[in-house]
Amino acid sequence: CTAAGLNNKGIGHLDRGKYKEAITCFKQASKIMSLTILQQQRGADSKKETKEANQEATLAGIRKDQIQKKFRHRREDVAGPQSLKKLSRSTLGRPIYIDNQKDEKNYTMLDSAYLSGKILFNLGLTLNLIAMKKYEEKSKDAILYFDKALDAYKRCCEIQHSILQNGTIIDEFIVLALHNIVHIYDLLNDHDHRSKIRCDLEEALGLLCIG
């Protein structure tokens, strides 16, 4: 079964309230994508080494300032902080269904980054829903599931760097993950972490609005 197929199967379980089964599917899908990304990175590194070796003689004659100019990454202006009012504190978002059913070996690195991020968001959302339920029941297990949800959301947000390095506009699932992290820190009264992530959320919203 493909990662996308497992993700969508997990959503089916989640919609029926079968959280344990949903988590299993999302974790399996995430593992597939982690291996896919690792293989792609190894392939990219190998191609880069070959390309650099072939170009070494050519680059030797180019002045240092020309090389720096050629490979300098231009920083785009980022929009200022956006209003967070449209993001309801009580809305965690819906799980993300993946239409793309092609085999992982046919993905580009950008495809893999997007897919992996969406699967991790779905995993975080499922753990978040369990945590909220236990929080309302005043169960001590709520903290455990909040921590697991935070871990999944943060791994989801790490995908942001892969996406932006490829010159691609940020995706909504990252904004949703950041929003939910802020919400969790609110519930846990962790104001220091909440303030930091809120700044990240405002920046992400700015990038999203650019697109």
Side-chain angles (χ1 to χ4, degrees), residues 5-54:
L6 284 165
N7 175 79
N8 298 341
K9 184 178 180 181
I11 292 175
H13 288 309
L14 181 56
D15 286 342
R16 293 190 293 275
K18 297 182 177 181
Y19 296 129
K20 183 178 179 180
E21 291 84 350
I23 289 171
T24 298
C25 287
F26 294 140
K27 284 185 174 180
Q28 289 175 347
S30 181
K31 184 176 181 180
I32 290 173
M33 291 315 305
S34 293
L35 293 172
T36 299
I37 290 172
L38 180 61
Q39 291 171 350
Q40 289 174 330
Q41 289 174 336
R42 286 174 177 172
D45 290 341
S46 178
K47 290 179 181 179
K48 182 180 179 182
E49 290 174 3
T50 301
K51 184 177 180 181
E52 288 176 349
N54 291 338

Side-chain angles (χ1 to χ4, degrees), residues 14 23 39 58 72 101 111 129 138 174 177 185 195 207:
L14 181 56
I23 289 171
Q39 291 171 350
T58 303
R72 185 182 301 123
Q101 294 288 334
D111 288 335
L129 290 170
K138 301 187 184 304
I174 295 173
Y185 282 139
S195 296
L207 290 169

Side-chain angles (χ1 to χ4, degrees), residues 107-125:
Y107 288 147
T108 64
M109 291 187 72
L110 191 57
D111 288 335
S112 298
Y114 271 115
L115 185 55
S116 182
K118 291 174 181 178
I119 292 168
L120 286 167
F121 172 79
N122 289 341
L123 174 60
L125 177 63

